[in-house]
Amino acid sequence: MIDPRKVDYGFILRRYDIESESQMRPETVAARMLPQDPLLGEVASSVMFMRLRDVGPAVSRALQMGVKPLDIINKGLVAGMDAVGYLYKEHVYYLPEVMMAAKTMESGISLAEKHIPGGRVTKGMVVMHAAEGDPHDIGKNIAAVMLRSAGYEVVDLGKDVPVDEVVRIVLDRKPLMVTGTALMTTTMPAFPAAAEKLHAAGLDIPYMAAGGAVNREYAESFDGGIYSRKAPQTPPIADMVLKGKGWREIREEWDDITGGI
Ligand code: B12
């Protein structure tokens, strides 16, 4: 007969999953990574802590206090998502948290972008997409906001866009340039594949390859390929294409155009 008074309940009640969890706390990461500015900090923390209902009021407060919409996006919403990416890497957050945070961030972006002053006149058109097989489109969406606010028309093909569809639409619409985003190393070969087909069809168009999986060396490894590391670099590069510079010249002048970062 087991004597319940002698049982070590510590062994029975121990949660091994909790023991194996990271000791890192999101609050500690928040204190280190989120902006010190109280308005931007509130925006960023609503993303980081997945508070979908709070992000709208936080963005509105920042707008009312005169914070620029692009700063709200880049220094608030994106900063919150950077912290989420870090927590994911450290196994503190898992995919459900990442998806909720991404949704929160997108909701904030759609509110902030309505307040970006930008004329109706467009300088030219850019076709954007996330690579075939790639569901990551947040960076692309931010770059699209930047381009629209800089006066460009954006034809956004969405995510996981088949190479042949990109080629078909680009040949049909003849934009100033194409941008592709890949956050997965398995999806980035879609860019040289599409660029090659476009060049074979006689369109010598700049093909911007961007997103976390891509680096400058890869982007410049195929004909037409140019690199952009951060979404805000896209409008200055588009401005150069508008001035008539081809992809070879943009590669040569890349450091000057983007500030080399
Ligand atoms: C959010 C996220 C998701 C979300 C995506 C939601 C969405 N709508 O985008 C969801 C949950 C869907 C997801 C799914 C998966 N993901 Co994920 N995900 C992430 C995460 C945490 C953050 C990415 C992000 O949006 N960051 C915020 C944005 C703002 O940053 P960004 O995209 O890097 O953009 C910046 C620059 O790259 C650049 N940029 C980006 N795009 C563009 C475009 C242009 C034109 C320009 C100029 C600039 C630019 O500018 C931005 C800043 O200014 C990353 C980890 C990380 N730290 O990156 C993993 C990560 C990208 N995911 C990864 C993986 C493996 C997956 C899954 C395969 C996981 C799984 N096992 O199921 C699945 C995909 C399954 C499938 N095939 O469908 C890996 C990829 C590894 C690799 N190198 O191949 C990563 C790196 C995580 C990791 N460390 O393992 N994911």
Side-chain angles (χ1 to χ4, degrees), residues 3-241:
D3 180 354
R5 284 166 305 180
K6 290 187 182 151
V7 172
D8 182 351
Y9 289 100
F11 280 113
I12 299 168
L13 298 174
R14 180 179 292 170
R15 289 269 310 274
Y16 292 99
D17 55 341
I18 294 220
E19 280 185 7
S20 65
E21 274 175 12
S22 167
Q23 294 303 304
M24 186 184 289
R25 304 260 52 95
E27 291 73 17
T28 323
V29 174
R32 208 182 64 233
M33 289 186 74
L34 298 193
Q36 295 301 310
D37 175 272
L39 292 163
L40 291 173
E42 203 188 337
V43 170
S45 81
S46 62
V47 172
M48 185 176 168
F49 294 102
M50 302 150 276
R51 292 195 292 256
L52 189 58
R53 258 179 278 168
D54 293 350
V55 72
V59 167
S60 299
R61 260 190 297 280
L63 286 166
Q64 274 160 17
M65 297 305 286
V67 185
K68 291 193 189 114
L70 282 179
D71 284 345
I72 295 175
I73 293 173
N74 286 318
K75 298 181 186 165
L77 297 161
V78 172
M81 199 64 208
D82 280 347
V84 171
Y86 179 74
L87 288 167
Y88 181 66
K89 188 170 72 90
E90 294 296 324
H91 309 295
V92 180
Y93 276 4
Y94 294 90
L95 278 181
E97 281 97 341
V98 171
M99 290 172 83
M100 277 302 296
K103 210 173 169 43
T104 309
M105 174 179 167
E106 279 163 12
S107 158
I109 289 178
S110 66
L111 177 59
E113 73 176 333
K114 288 194 188 100
H115 296 265
I116 296 172
R120 302 222 142 254
V121 197
T122 70
K123 296 183 190 167
M125 191 248 292
V126 178
V127 168
M128 305 183 82
H129 73 288
E132 181 165 350
D134 206 314
H136 300 91
D137 65 353
I138 299 174
K140 166 184 71 62
N141 296 343
I142 296 171
V145 169
M146 308 275 160
L147 275 173
R148 288 195 183 104
S149 66
Y152 289 91
E153 181 194 348
V154 169
V155 174
D156 186 348
L157 307 183
K159 53 192 167 189
D160 184 12
V161 188
V163 167
D164 285 342
E165 194 174 331
V166 176
V167 172
R168 185 179 59 76
I169 294 171
V170 171
L171 288 176
D172 183 42
R173 305 288 302 261
K174 307 246 172 6
L176 273 178
M177 72 174 180
V178 194
T179 80
T181 303
L183 266 81
M184 293 158 66
T185 39
T186 47
T187 62
M188 60 187 195
F191 305 145
E196 199 177 304
K197 288 187 178 202
L198 289 170
H199 283 245
L203 197 64
D204 193 30
I205 189 171
Y207 201 117
M208 181 184 283
V214 182
N215 59 23
R216 186 173 173 186
E217 194 186 354
Y218 186 79
E220 296 185 357
S221 68
F222 58 93
D223 278 1
I226 52 171
Y227 184 52
S228 176
R229 200 168 77 80
K230 291 270 167 197
Q233 293 173 339
T234 325
I237 295 175
D239 289 345
M240 291 301 128
V241 182

